[in-house]
Amino acid sequence: MQSVAMPWLALQLTHNGLLVGLVLRGPSSHRCCSAGQLGGIIADRYRKRRILLITQAAFTVPSFALFVLSAGGHAQYWRC
C-alpha cells in the first residue's frame, strides 16, 4: 500500500512525473549485499512468526507517519 501511496502523494504535491520517478526509485535500490546475509542469520536463529510480527509492526510506523502528515496537510516534497 505504501509503495503506491508515496508516488501518489509526490504527484499530488509536485505535479511532476520526473520527481515521481525519483520516489519510485527510492533508497531501496541502494541496499548493500550484507543485508541479505543478516536476514538469513536472523531467519535461522528466531521463530518465523515472531520475525513476521516484528517486521510488520515496524512497517506500520512509516505508513502511519505518512497518513498523519498527509491528512494534516504537513507533507512536503524534499529535494536534496
Side-chain angles (χ1 to χ4, degrees):
M1 177 86 63
Q2 188 174 353
S3 62
V4 173
M6 287 183 61
W8 180 263
L9 181 61
L11 181 64
Q12 294 297 315
L13 292 174
T14 64
H15 303 289
N16 187 337
L18 178 64
L19 296 177
V20 173
L22 290 175
V23 169
L24 287 170
R25 182 172 180 255
S28 63
S29 61
H30 300 295
R31 292 185 180 143
C32 61
C33 299
S34 63
Q37 295 169 347
L38 179 63
I41 292 170
I42 292 172
D44 288 340
R45 289 191 181 178
Y46 301 101
R47 295 186 337 207
K48 309 295 186 267
R49 179 174 169 79
R50 184 169 180 91
I51 294 170
L52 185 63
L53 290 174
I54 290 170
T55 56
Q56 292 303 308
F59 281 133
T60 61
V61 173
S63 297
F64 184 71
L66 181 64
F67 165 71
V68 169
L69 289 173
S70 61
H74 300 291
Q76 297 178 2
Y77 189 92
W78 291 8
R79 296 180 189 174
C80 297

